[in-house]
């Protein structure tokens, strides 16, 4: 079984001063929410399409975050789909 390492990184140049000060803990929180989402979605994966898996990942991740953070969480679509494909291949995500 292959493991995919999952980590959310924020572009510091796109953050306001408060967000910049909180960048590392915010990245940790987003990463944790996305890992949780990947575990949940992988656990119930039953042949859904890539679009559906990506939608579920985003929904689950946002559900694990504070409302204000969830509202602003816009992961890169290409990377979200890469996680979806990892789940679809049955690979483990760390």
């Amino acid at each position: 079984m292959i493991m995919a390492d999952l980590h959310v990184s924020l572009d510091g140049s796109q953050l306001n001063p408060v967000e910049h000060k909180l960048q590392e803990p915010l990245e940790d929180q987003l990463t944790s929410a996305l890992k949780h989402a990947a575990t949940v979605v992988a656990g119930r994966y039953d042949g859904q399409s890539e679009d559906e898996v990506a939608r579920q990942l985003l929904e689950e991740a946002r559900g694990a975050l504070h409302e204000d953070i969830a509202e602003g969480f816009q992961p890169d679509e290409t990377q979200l789909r890469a996680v979806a494909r990892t789940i679809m291949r049955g690979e483990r995500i760390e």
Side-chain angles (χ1 to χ4, degrees), residues 60-75:
E60 288 290 336
R62 285 183 174 156
L65 295 166
H66 183 277
E67 184 179 308
D68 293 336
I69 296 171
E71 199 173 288
F73 182 44
Q74 299 293 328

Side-chain angles (χ1 to χ4, degrees), residues 71-92:
E71 199 173 288
F73 182 44
Q74 299 293 328
D76 178 273
E77 183 72 21
T78 302
Q79 293 175 348
L80 190 64
R81 288 180 171 280
V83 175
R85 288 189 300 276
T86 298
I87 290 170
M88 295 169 73
R89 289 191 302 265
E91 297 174 9
R92 194 167 124 199

Side-chain angles (χ1 to χ4, degrees), residues 1-92:
M1 183 177 288
I2 298 170
M3 270 189 290
D5 186 31
L6 186 59
H7 179 77
V8 175
S9 298
L10 301 173
D11 180 355
S13 69
Q14 300 292 319
L15 303 176
N16 68 42
V18 172
E19 292 169 335
H20 196 275
K21 286 182 182 179
L22 298 172
Q23 182 173 353
E24 187 174 329
L26 186 54
E27 286 176 347
D28 290 345
Q29 187 174 11
L30 294 171
T31 297
S32 178
L34 193 53
K35 284 182 179 182
H36 169 75
T39 299
V40 170
V41 172
R44 65 180 185 224
Y45 178 69
D46 190 29
Q48 294 91 343
S49 70
E50 182 179 316
D51 287 340
E52 179 62 17
V53 174
R55 186 196 63 73
Q56 289 178 16
L57 279 168
L58 185 56
E59 182 179 289
E60 288 290 336
R62 285 183 174 156
L65 295 166
H66 183 277
E67 184 179 308
D68 293 336
I69 296 171
E71 199 173 288
F73 182 44
Q74 299 293 328
D76 178 273
E77 183 72 21
T78 302
Q79 293 175 348
L80 190 64
R81 288 180 171 280
V83 175
R85 288 189 300 276
T86 298
I87 290 170
M88 295 169 73
R89 289 191 302 265
E91 297 174 9
R92 194 167 124 199

